[in-house]
Each structure stands twice: as C-alpha cells, then as structure tokens.
Amino acid sequence: MYLGSDAANFAVLLARVWVGIMIFAHGWRHVNAVRSGPGMANWFESLGVKPGHLHAWTVTLTEVFIPVLLVLGFLTPLDYGGVCALMLVALMTNHLKNGFFLNSAKEGYEYVASIAVLSITLGTLGPGKWSLDNAFDLSFPFEPKKALIVTAVVGIGGAALFLLAFWRPPKKEDSAA
C-alpha cells in the first residue's frame, strides 16, 4: 500500500500535491474563462472538439475536482489516469501539430506528454503512506501492477474513447488557394 521509507512516501506526497495544484490552477483559470462567455467553447470547437460548450465545462470541472482527490490521496490511480487523459487529449487536439518543444511562439507537446507519462508513473507507484487511500485501508488497485493497468486504462483508454467520440479534426485549409 505504501512505499518503504518516509523519504519515498514524502516524494509521492509532494508529487501528488504539486500535480494537484498545477491542474487545479488550470481548472480555476478555465472556470473564469467559461463563465466570462463563449470563448473557451468556441476554442474547443475550433480544435474539432464538439460540442464546445459541453467540453469546456467537463474539462473545467475535471481540472477542478480531480486535483482535490489527488492532493488528498483518494483513489489515486484513477485520479492520475484522469490527469493523463486530459493531457493526452490536449496533446492530440492542440499540441501535436506544433512539434515537440514548448516555447512562446508555439505550444509544443513536451509539457503535456511529460505530465501524461509522469501521471502513469505516479499512479503506478500509488498514493503513499500519507493518503486517504492508506487511511481507509483501500487495497485495490494499489498493488503496482494493478495500479499501472488502472491508471493506463483510464488515461490512455479514456483519452482514446473521448477522441473517437468527440474529436473531428478540422480540415486543413488549402494553402495554394
């Protein structure tokens, strides 16, 4: 259920809290964007994610609620799977076309890909000793092999299903015209 040393348990706690804060900050920014008008919904539509209004809200609520569970260490592999799914959808719909590197001119995929990979890794390691998962003595799915499967299925599988159901990449404009 938890790692063998206090240092390792502190490391997974630190990772949970940092990833939680980072994703929550994005979600909170999106709360304000969604409430201020149709801009975010229109942006989703421009990426081919339809209906934009629905997905602007679902992404925003996911980015606000999953981090709370993650910081508390409750259902940790599922939480990290959710973060992974968010990042993989962002990678495919917005970042992949811009190349690997993230810089001020383009939003490459190095950041979202890194968070996706780290989410699967951290979900596999489990919540650590200082978590609600441990306090409630939840044993499934915290054995590393099962946690890896759960995190990857939620993350990779969830992203794939979302993309199949809701993403229709916009047609590229003919530059010769």
Side-chain angles (χ1 to χ4, degrees):
M1 168 70 75
Y2 61 88
L3 303 169
S5 72
D6 284 348
N9 284 293
F10 176 75
V12 293
L13 170 65
L14 181 62
R16 279 195 346 255
V17 169
W18 176 250
V19 172
I21 289 170
M22 180 189 60
I23 298 300
F24 183 86
H26 281 270
W28 192 253
R29 186 176 72 174
H30 290 159
V31 167
N32 294 324
V34 170
R35 293 176 62 205
S36 69
M40 190 168 166
N42 292 341
W43 178 68
F44 272 98
E45 294 261 345
S46 76
L47 295 174
V49 179
K50 299 178 182 183
H53 182 74
L54 171 69
H55 297 299
W57 273 108
T58 56
V59 165
T60 298
L61 293 174
T62 301
E63 290 176 336
V64 168
F65 290 111
I66 282 182
V68 173
L69 299 175
L70 195 56
V71 167
L72 295 172
F74 187 62
L75 303 174
T76 307
L78 295 172
D79 302 335
Y80 275 124
V83 171
C84 177
L86 285 169
M87 296 300 109
L88 291 177
V89 169
L91 186 152
M92 294 303 298
T93 61
N94 188 44
H95 298 275
L96 187 62
K97 67 183 180 280
N98 296 324
F100 180 75
F101 293 105
L102 180 66
N103 59 42
S104 59
K106 292 182 180 179
E107 295 179 342
Y109 62 88
E110 69 178 306
Y111 166 77
V112 293
S114 295
I115 299 302
V117 169
L118 289 173
S119 292
I120 291 175
T121 303
L122 293 167
T124 301
L125 289 175
K129 183 178 178 180
W130 303 309
S131 65
L132 288 181
D133 291 333
N134 187 51
F136 294 147
D137 199 28
L138 298 176
S139 59
F140 179 82
F142 305 111
E143 184 274 323
K145 185 176 179 180
K146 291 176 187 170
L148 170 61
I149 292 168
V150 167
T151 306
V153 165
V154 170
I156 298 168
L161 288 174
F162 177 89
L163 292 168
L164 285 171
F166 299 109
W167 184 44
R168 301 297 175 263
K171 304 243 187 276
K172 294 181 181 178
E173 293 182 24
D174 186 9
S175 59

